[in-house]
Amino acid sequence: MEFNPVALDAKLRHLDAILADPDRLARVIRALLSDAAYELTPLARPWEPGGGASLFQVTTANATYFLKVKHLAVTIESKLESEPAFSPEPSLRNERHHLDALAGLPSVPVVHGYAEDGDHAFLLLEWLTPFDAVMPTLGAAALAEAYRAITAGVRALYDRGVVHTDVH
């Protein structure tokens, strides 16, 4: 695995830049939700700086969503040694393309919207309860089945040529 120093620098330079523009954030969310009333809750990243996205829970009267917002200058930060060059594609756009290609596989979140506005990308996904929140409620048999499902999901990704290097 090789890491792109340009992408890593861009991630740190633009980390949480959208927070300085709450009006644009609100405008894009309203467009993605077709003007539905919503509540926005910022979320802590599970690890810092992680992929560099600003994370939010978006709640409407009928649904809950997970929103990722990332500066377009943040490109894909890693590649396999066998790949000839780093991809210049913005990483959130790349994530959206992968999610679209993998739609319907178990444990792949549904994309509810994607937008690029100015220098930021916005990816609206279905809300999935984090595994670490569910894990304490599972008995031994259910936990073993959950891990089997995770393993099967990663194998399905690899079978489709997707090498996800930071499955947590």
Side-chain angles (χ1 to χ4, degrees):
M1 180 67 51
E2 297 176 359
F3 292 90
N4 184 346
V6 173
L8 295 173
D9 177 65
K11 176 172 63 173
L12 295 177
R13 207 168 359 102
H14 298 291
L15 194 63
D16 293 327
I18 193 62
L19 300 180
D21 196 351
D23 293 338
R24 177 167 44 150
L25 179 60
R27 183 182 73 248
V28 173
I29 293 170
R30 281 193 309 273
L32 289 170
L33 296 174
S34 301
D35 285 325
Y38 68 89
E39 180 179 327
L40 184 68
T41 305
L43 300 171
R45 283 181 283 276
W47 55 94
E48 285 293 335
S54 298
L55 309 175
F56 303 92
Q57 182 183 57
V58 181
T59 307
T60 69
N62 299 317
T64 301
Y65 303 95
F66 179 53
L67 177 67
K68 297 173 83 171
V69 182
K70 194 181 291 192
H71 197 281
L72 290 168
V74 182
T75 58
I76 300 165
E77 64 186 51
S78 64
K79 72 175 190 69
L80 298 174
E81 290 84 353
S82 60
E83 293 178 279
F86 290 107
S87 171
E89 185 171 29
S91 64
L92 207 54
R93 185 187 302 156
N94 179 68
E95 182 173 342
R96 185 262 181 116
H97 291 160
H98 278 293
L99 290 170
D100 287 347
L102 300 169
L105 284 178
S107 303
V108 173
V110 174
V111 175
H112 285 281
Y114 178 82
E116 291 182 9
D117 184 275
D119 54 5
H120 278 79
F122 301 77
L123 180 62
L124 188 68
L125 304 167
E126 76 172 308
W127 178 263
L128 299 175
T129 303
F131 185 60
D132 62 347
V134 174
M135 202 168 48
T137 68
L138 301 177
L143 191 57
E145 180 52 39
Y147 280 108
R148 279 192 286 279
I150 291 168
T151 302
V154 172
R155 281 194 183 120
L157 291 176
Y158 280 36
D159 288 348
R160 290 178 179 224
V162 176
V163 179
H164 198 306
T165 58
D166 66 352
V167 174
H168 296 279

Coordinates of all heavy atoms in Angstrom, one line a residue, residues 55-126:
L55 N -18.9 14.7 9.1 CA -20.0 13.7 9.2 C -21.2 14.3 10.0 O -21.0 14.9 11.0 CB -19.5 12.4 10.0 CG -18.2 11.8 9.4 CD1 -17.7 10.7 10.3 CD2 -18.4 11.4 8.0
F56 N -22.4 13.9 9.5 CA -23.6 14.4 10.1 C -24.7 13.4 10.1 O -24.8 12.5 9.2 CB -24.2 15.6 9.3 CG -23.2 16.8 9.2 CD1 -22.3 16.8 8.1 CD2 -23.1 17.7 10.2 CE1 -21.4 17.9 8.0 CE2 -22.2 18.8 10.0 CZ -21.3 18.8 8.9
Q57 N -25.6 13.4 11.1 CA -26.8 12.7 11.1 C -27.9 13.7 10.7 O -27.9 14.8 11.2 CB -27.2 12.1 12.4 CG -28.5 11.3 12.5 CD -28.8 10.8 13.8 OE1 -28.9 11.6 14.8 NE2 -28.9 9.5 14.0
V58 N -28.7 13.4 9.7 CA -29.8 14.3 9.2 C -31.1 13.5 9.4 O -31.3 12.4 8.9 CB -29.6 14.6 7.7 CG1 -30.7 15.5 7.2 CG2 -28.2 15.2 7.4
T59 N -31.9 14.2 10.2 CA -33.2 13.6 10.6 C -34.4 14.4 10.1 O -34.4 15.6 10.3 CB -33.3 13.5 12.1 OG1 -32.1 12.8 12.6 CG2 -34.5 12.7 12.6
T60 N -35.3 13.7 9.3 CA -36.5 14.3 8.9 C -37.7 13.7 9.6 O -37.4 12.7 10.4 CB -36.7 14.1 7.4 OG1 -36.9 12.7 7.1 CG2 -35.5 14.6 6.6
A61 N -38.9 14.1 9.3 CA -40.0 13.5 10.0 C -40.2 12.0 9.6 O -40.7 11.2 10.4 CB -41.3 14.2 9.6
N62 N -39.6 11.6 8.4 CA -39.9 10.2 8.0 C -38.6 9.3 7.9 O -38.7 8.1 7.7 CB -40.5 10.3 6.6 CG -41.8 11.0 6.6 OD1 -42.6 10.8 7.5 ND2 -42.0 11.9 5.6
A63 N -37.4 9.9 8.0 CA -36.2 9.1 7.9 C -35.0 9.7 8.5 O -35.0 10.9 8.9 CB -35.9 8.9 6.4
T64 N -34.0 8.9 8.7 CA -32.7 9.4 9.2 C -31.7 9.0 8.2 O -31.7 8.0 7.6 CB -32.4 8.7 10.6 OG1 -33.4 9.0 11.5 CG2 -31.1 9.2 11.1
Y65 N -30.7 10.0 8.0 CA -29.7 9.8 6.9 C -28.3 10.1 7.6 O -28.2 10.7 8.6 CB -29.9 10.8 5.8 CG -31.2 10.7 5.1 CD1 -32.3 11.5 5.5 CD2 -31.5 9.8 4.1 CE1 -33.5 11.4 4.9 CE2 -32.7 9.7 3.5 CZ -33.7 10.5 3.9 OH -34.9 10.4 3.3
F66 N -27.3 9.6 6.9 CA -25.9 9.8 7.2 C -25.3 10.7 6.1 O -25.4 10.3 4.9 CB -25.2 8.5 7.3 CG -23.7 8.6 7.6 CD1 -23.2 9.3 8.7 CD2 -22.8 7.9 6.8 CE1 -21.9 9.4 9.0 CE2 -21.4 8.0 7.1 CZ -21.0 8.7 8.2
L67 N -24.8 11.9 6.4 CA -24.3 12.8 5.4 C -22.7 12.9 5.6 O -22.3 13.1 6.7 CB -24.9 14.2 5.6 CG -24.4 15.3 4.6 CD1 -24.7 14.9 3.2 CD2 -24.9 16.6 5.1
K68 N -22.0 12.7 4.5 CA -20.6 13.0 4.5 C -20.3 14.2 3.6 O -20.9 14.2 2.5 CB -19.9 11.7 3.9 CG -20.1 10.5 4.8 CD -19.5 9.3 4.1 CE -18.0 9.2 4.4 NZ -17.4 7.9 3.9
V69 N -19.5 15.1 4.0 CA -19.1 16.2 3.2 C -17.6 16.3 3.2 O -17.0 16.3 4.3 CB -19.7 17.5 3.8 CG1 -19.4 18.7 3.0 CG2 -21.2 17.4 4.0
K70 N -17.1 16.5 2.0 CA -15.6 16.5 1.9 C -15.2 17.5 0.7 O -15.9 17.6 -0.3 CB -15.1 15.1 1.5 CG -13.6 14.9 1.7 CD -13.1 13.5 1.4 CE -13.6 12.5 2.3 NZ -12.9 11.2 2.1
H71 N -14.1 18.2 0.9 CA -13.6 19.1 -0.1 C -13.2 18.3 -1.3 O -12.6 17.2 -1.2 CB -12.4 19.9 0.5 CG -12.0 21.1 -0.2 ND1 -11.3 21.0 -1.4 CD2 -12.3 22.4 0.0 CE1 -11.2 22.3 -1.8 NE2 -11.7 23.1 -1.0
L72 N -13.4 18.8 -2.5 CA -13.1 18.2 -3.7 C -11.6 18.0 -4.0 O -11.2 17.2 -4.7 CB -13.8 18.9 -4.9 CG -15.3 18.7 -5.0 CD1 -15.8 19.7 -6.0 CD2 -15.7 17.3 -5.3
A73 N -10.8 18.8 -3.3 CA -9.4 18.7 -3.4 C -8.8 17.4 -2.8 O -7.7 17.0 -3.0 CB -8.7 19.9 -2.8
V74 N -9.6 16.8 -1.9 CA -9.2 15.6 -1.2 C -9.5 14.4 -2.2 O -10.6 14.0 -2.4 CB -10.0 15.4 0.1 CG1 -9.5 14.1 0.8 CG2 -9.8 16.6 1.0
T75 N -8.4 13.9 -2.7 CA -8.5 12.8 -3.7 C -8.3 11.5 -3.0 O -8.0 11.5 -1.8 CB -7.5 13.0 -4.8 OG1 -6.1 13.1 -4.3 CG2 -7.7 14.3 -5.6
I76 N -8.3 10.4 -3.8 CA -8.1 9.1 -3.2 C -6.7 9.0 -2.7 O -5.7 9.4 -3.4 CB -8.3 8.0 -4.3 CG1 -9.8 8.1 -4.8 CG2 -8.0 6.6 -3.8 CD1 -10.0 7.4 -6.1
E77 N -6.5 8.7 -1.4 CA -5.2 8.8 -0.8 C -4.3 7.6 -0.8 O -3.1 7.8 -0.5 CB -5.4 9.3 0.7 CG -6.1 8.3 1.6 CD -6.4 8.8 3.0 OE1 -6.9 9.9 3.1 OE2 -6.0 8.1 3.9
S78 N -4.8 6.5 -1.3 CA -3.9 5.3 -1.3 C -4.1 4.6 -2.6 O -5.0 4.8 -3.4 CB -4.2 4.4 -0.1 OG -5.5 3.9 -0.2
K79 N -3.1 3.7 -2.9 CA -3.2 2.8 -4.0 C -2.4 1.6 -3.7 O -1.5 1.6 -2.8 CB -2.7 3.5 -5.3 CG -1.2 3.7 -5.3 CD -0.7 4.2 -6.7 CE 0.8 4.2 -6.9 NZ 1.3 2.9 -7.0
L80 N -2.7 0.5 -4.4 CA -1.9 -0.7 -4.3 C -0.6 -0.5 -5.1 O -0.5 0.3 -6.0 CB -2.7 -1.9 -4.9 CG -4.0 -2.2 -4.1 CD1 -4.7 -3.3 -4.9 CD2 -3.7 -2.6 -2.7
E81 N 0.4 -1.2 -4.7 CA 1.7 -1.1 -5.3 C 1.6 -1.5 -6.8 O 2.4 -1.0 -7.6 CB 2.8 -2.0 -4.7 CG 3.2 -1.5 -3.3 CD 2.3 -2.0 -2.2 OE1 1.2 -2.5 -2.4 OE2 2.7 -1.7 -1.0
S82 N 0.7 -2.3 -7.2 CA 0.5 -2.8 -8.5 C -0.2 -1.7 -9.4 O -0.2 -1.8 -10.6 CB -0.3 -4.1 -8.6 OG -1.6 -3.9 -8.0
E83 N -0.8 -0.7 -8.8 CA -1.5 0.3 -9.6 C -0.4 1.3 -10.1 O 0.5 1.7 -9.4 CB -2.5 1.1 -8.8 CG -3.7 0.2 -8.4 CD -4.7 0.9 -7.5 OE1 -4.4 1.0 -6.3 OE2 -5.7 1.4 -8.0
P84 N -0.6 1.8 -11.4 CA 0.5 2.6 -12.0 C 0.6 4.0 -11.4 O 1.7 4.6 -11.4 CB 0.1 2.7 -13.4 CG -1.4 2.4 -13.5 CD -1.6 1.5 -12.3
A85 N -0.5 4.6 -10.9 CA -0.5 6.0 -10.4 C -1.7 6.2 -9.4 O -2.6 5.4 -9.4 CB -0.6 7.0 -11.6
F86 N -1.5 7.3 -8.7 CA -2.6 7.7 -7.8 C -3.8 8.2 -8.6 O -3.5 8.9 -9.6 CB -2.2 8.7 -6.8 CG -1.2 8.2 -5.8 CD1 0.1 8.5 -5.8 CD2 -1.7 7.4 -4.7 CE1 1.0 8.0 -4.9 CE2 -0.8 6.9 -3.8 CZ 0.5 7.2 -3.9
S87 N -5.0 8.0 -8.2 CA -6.2 8.5 -8.9 C -6.4 10.0 -8.5 O -6.3 10.3 -7.4 CB -7.4 7.7 -8.5 OG -8.6 8.4 -9.0
P88 N -6.7 10.8 -9.5 CA -6.9 12.2 -9.2 C -8.4 12.5 -8.9 O -8.8 13.6 -8.6 CB -6.6 12.9 -10.6 CG -6.9 11.9 -11.6 CD -6.6 10.6 -11.0
E89 N -9.2 11.4 -8.9 CA -10.6 11.6 -8.6 C -10.9 12.0 -7.1 O -10.3 11.4 -6.2 CB -11.4 10.3 -8.9 CG -12.9 10.5 -8.8 CD -13.7 9.3 -9.3 OE1 -13.2 8.2 -9.2 OE2 -14.8 9.5 -9.7
P90 N -11.8 13.0 -6.9 CA -12.1 13.3 -5.5 C -12.6 12.1 -4.8 O -13.4 11.3 -5.4 CB -13.2 14.4 -5.7 CG -12.9 15.0 -7.0 CD -12.4 13.9 -7.9
S91 N -12.2 11.9 -3.6 CA -12.5 10.7 -2.9 C -14.0 10.4 -2.6 O -14.4 9.3 -2.7 CB -11.7 10.5 -1.6 OG -12.0 11.5 -0.7
L92 N -14.7 11.5 -2.3 CA -16.2 11.2 -2.1 C -16.9 10.9 -3.4 O -17.8 10.1 -3.4 CB -16.8 12.5 -1.4 CG -18.0 12.2 -0.5 CD1 -17.7 11.1 0.5 CD2 -18.5 13.5 0.2
R93 N -16.5 11.5 -4.5 CA -17.1 11.1 -5.8 C -16.8 9.6 -6.1 O -17.6 8.9 -6.5 CB -16.5 12.0 -6.9 CG -17.2 11.7 -8.3 CD -16.5 12.5 -9.4 NE -16.5 14.0 -9.1 CZ -15.6 14.8 -9.7 NH1 -14.7 14.3 -10.5 NH2 -15.7 16.1 -9.5
N94 N -15.5 9.2 -5.8 CA -15.1 7.8 -6.0 C -16.0 6.9 -5.1 O -16.4 5.9 -5.6 CB -13.6 7.7 -5.7 CG -13.2 6.3 -5.8 OD1 -13.1 5.7 -7.0 ND2 -12.8 5.7 -4.7
E95 N -16.2 7.3 -3.9 CA -17.0 6.5 -3.0 C -18.4 6.3 -3.5 O -19.0 5.2 -3.5 CB -17.0 7.1 -1.6 CG -17.8 6.3 -0.6 CD -17.7 6.9 0.8 OE1 -16.8 7.7 1.1 OE2 -18.5 6.5 1.7
R96 N -19.0 7.4 -4.0 CA -20.3 7.4 -4.6 C -20.4 6.4 -5.8 O -21.3 5.6 -5.9 CB -20.8 8.7 -5.0 CG -22.2 8.9 -5.5 CD -22.3 8.8 -7.0 NE -23.6 8.9 -7.5 CZ -24.1 10.0 -8.2 NH1 -23.3 10.9 -8.5 NH2 -25.3 10.0 -8.6
H97 N -19.4 6.4 -6.7 CA -19.3 5.5 -7.8 C -19.3 4.1 -7.3 O -20.0 3.2 -7.9 CB -18.1 5.8 -8.7 CG -18.3 7.1 -9.4 ND1 -17.2 7.8 -10.0 CD2 -19.3 7.9 -9.7 CE1 -17.6 8.9 -10.5 NE2 -18.9 9.0 -10.4
H98 N -18.5 3.8 -6.3 CA -18.4 2.4 -5.8 C -19.7 2.0 -5.2 O -20.1 0.9 -5.4 CB -17.2 2.3 -4.8 CG -15.9 2.1 -5.4 ND1 -15.5 1.0 -6.1 CD2 -14.8 2.9 -5.5 CE1 -14.3 1.1 -6.5 NE2 -13.8 2.2 -6.2
L99 N -20.3 2.9 -4.4 CA -21.6 2.5 -3.8 C -22.7 2.2 -4.8 O -23.5 1.3 -4.7 CB -22.0 3.6 -2.8 CG -21.2 3.7 -1.5 CD1 -21.6 5.0 -0.8 CD2 -21.4 2.5 -0.6
D100 N -22.7 3.0 -5.9 CA -23.6 2.8 -7.0 C -23.4 1.4 -7.6 O -24.3 0.7 -7.9 CB -23.5 3.9 -8.0 CG -24.2 5.2 -7.6 OD1 -24.9 5.2 -6.5 OD2 -23.9 6.2 -8.3
A101 N -22.1 1.1 -7.9 CA -21.7 -0.2 -8.5 C -22.0 -1.4 -7.6 O -22.3 -2.5 -8.1 CB -20.3 -0.2 -8.9
L102 N -22.0 -1.2 -6.3 CA -22.2 -2.3 -5.4 C -23.6 -2.3 -4.8 O -23.9 -3.1 -3.9 CB -21.2 -2.2 -4.2 CG -19.8 -2.2 -4.6 CD1 -18.9 -1.8 -3.5 CD2 -19.4 -3.6 -5.1
A103 N -24.5 -1.4 -5.3 CA -25.9 -1.4 -4.8 C -26.5 -2.7 -4.8 O -26.4 -3.5 -5.7 CB -26.7 -0.4 -5.6
G104 N -27.2 -3.0 -3.7 CA -27.9 -4.3 -3.6 C -27.1 -5.4 -2.8 O -27.7 -6.4 -2.4
L105 N -25.8 -5.2 -2.7 CA -25.1 -6.2 -1.9 C -25.4 -6.0 -0.4 O -25.7 -4.8 0.0 CB -23.6 -6.0 -2.1 CG -22.9 -6.5 -3.3 CD1 -21.5 -6.2 -3.3 CD2 -23.1 -8.0 -3.5
P106 N -25.4 -7.0 0.4 CA -25.7 -6.9 1.8 C -24.7 -5.9 2.5 O -23.5 -5.8 2.1 CB -25.5 -8.3 2.4 CG -25.5 -9.2 1.2 CD -25.1 -8.4 0.0
S107 N -25.2 -5.1 3.4 CA -24.4 -4.1 4.2 C -23.8 -3.0 3.4 O -23.0 -2.3 3.9 CB -23.3 -4.9 4.9 OG -23.8 -5.9 5.8
V108 N -24.2 -2.8 2.1 CA -23.8 -1.6 1.4 C -24.9 -0.6 1.5 O -26.1 -0.8 1.1 CB -23.6 -2.0 -0.1 CG1 -23.3 -0.7 -0.9 CG2 -22.4 -2.9 -0.3
P109 N -24.6 0.6 2.1 CA -25.6 1.6 2.3 C -26.2 2.1 1.0 O -25.5 2.2 0.0 CB -24.9 2.7 3.1 CG -23.5 2.4 2.9 CD -23.3 1.0 2.6
V110 N -27.5 2.4 1.1 CA -28.2 3.0 -0.1 C -27.8 4.5 -0.2 O -27.9 5.2 0.8 CB -29.7 2.8 0.1 CG1 -30.5 3.6 -1.0 CG2 -30.1 1.4 0.1
V111 N -27.5 4.9 -1.4 CA -27.2 6.3 -1.7 C -28.6 7.0 -1.9 O -29.3 6.6 -2.8 CB -26.3 6.5 -2.9 CG1 -26.1 7.9 -3.3 CG2 -25.0 5.8 -2.7
H112 N -28.8 8.0 -1.1 CA -30.1 8.8 -1.3 C -29.8 10.1 -2.0 O -30.8 10.8 -2.4 CB -30.7 9.1 0.1 CG -31.3 7.9 0.7 ND1 -32.6 7.4 0.3 CD2 -30.9 7.0 1.6 CE1 -32.9 6.3 0.9 NE2 -31.9 6.0 1.7
G113 N -28.6 10.5 -2.2 CA -28.3 11.7 -2.9 C -26.8 12.0 -2.9 O -26.1 11.6 -2.0
Y114 N -26.4 12.7 -4.0 CA -25.0 13.2 -4.1 C -25.1 14.5 -4.8 O -25.9 14.7 -5.8 CB -24.2 12.2 -4.9 CG -22.8 12.6 -5.2 CD1 -21.8 12.4 -4.2 CD2 -22.4 13.3 -6.3 CE1 -20.5 12.8 -4.4 CE2 -21.1 13.7 -6.5 CZ -20.2 13.5 -5.5 OH -18.9 13.9 -5.7
A115 N -24.3 15.4 -4.3 CA -24.2 16.7 -5.0 C -22.7 17.3 -4.8 O -22.0 16.9 -3.9 CB -25.1 17.7 -4.3
E116 N -22.4 18.1 -5.8 CA -21.1 18.8 -5.7 C -21.5 20.3 -5.8 O -22.3 20.7 -6.7 CB -20.2 18.4 -6.8 CG -19.6 17.0 -6.6 CD -18.6 16.6 -7.7 OE1 -18.1 17.5 -8.5 OE2 -18.2 15.4 -7.7
D117 N -21.1 21.1 -4.9 CA -21.5 22.5 -4.8 C -20.2 23.2 -4.5 O -19.6 23.0 -3.5 CB -22.5 22.7 -3.8 CG -23.0 24.2 -3.8 OD1 -22.3 25.0 -3.1 OD2 -24.0 24.5 -4.4
G118 N -19.8 24.1 -5.4 CA -18.5 24.8 -5.2 C -17.4 23.8 -5.1 O -17.2 23.0 -6.0
D119 N -16.7 23.9 -4.0 CA -15.5 23.1 -3.8 C -15.7 21.9 -2.9 O -14.8 21.3 -2.4 CB -14.3 23.9 -3.3 CG -14.7 24.7 -2.1 OD1 -15.8 24.5 -1.5 OD2 -13.8 25.5 -1.6
H120 N -17.0 21.5 -2.7 CA -17.3 20.4 -1.8 C -18.2 19.4 -2.4 O -19.0 19.7 -3.3 CB -18.0 20.9 -0.5 CG -17.0 21.4 0.5 ND1 -16.4 22.7 0.4 CD2 -16.5 20.8 1.6 CE1 -15.6 22.8 1.5 NE2 -15.6 21.7 2.2
A121 N -18.1 18.1 -2.0 CA -19.0 17.0 -2.4 C -19.8 16.7 -1.2 O -19.3 16.7 0.0 CB -18.2 15.8 -2.9
F122 N -21.1 16.3 -1.4 CA -22.0 15.9 -0.4 C -22.6 14.6 -0.7 O -23.2 14.4 -1.8 CB -23.1 17.0 -0.3 CG -22.7 18.4 0.0 CD1 -22.1 19.1 -1.0 CD2 -22.8 18.9 1.2 CE1 -21.6 20.4 -0.8 CE2 -22.4 20.2 1.5 CZ -21.8 21.0 0.5
L123 N -22.5 13.6 0.2 CA -23.0 12.2 -0.1 C -24.0 11.9 1.0 O -23.6 11.8 2.2 CB -21.8 11.2 -0.1 CG -22.2 9.8 -0.3 CD1 -22.8 9.6 -1.7 CD2 -20.9 8.9 -0.2
L124 N -25.3 11.7 0.7 CA -26.3 11.4 1.6 C -26.7 9.9 1.5 O -27.0 9.4 0.4 CB -27.6 12.3 1.3 CG -28.7 12.2 2.2 CD1 -28.3 12.9 3.6 CD2 -30.0 12.9 1.6
L125 N -26.5 9.2 2.6 CA -26.7 7.8 2.7 C -27.8 7.4 3.6 O -28.1 8.2 4.5 CB -25.4 7.1 3.1 CG -24.1 7.4 2.3 CD1 -22.9 6.9 3.0 CD2 -24.2 6.7 0.9
E126 N -28.3 6.2 3.5 CA -29.2 5.7 4.5 C -28.4 5.6 5.8 O -27.2 5.4 5.9 CB -29.7 4.3 4.1 CG -28.8 3.1 4.3 CD -29.4 1.8 4.1 OE1 -30.4 1.5 4.7 OE2 -28.9 1.0 3.3

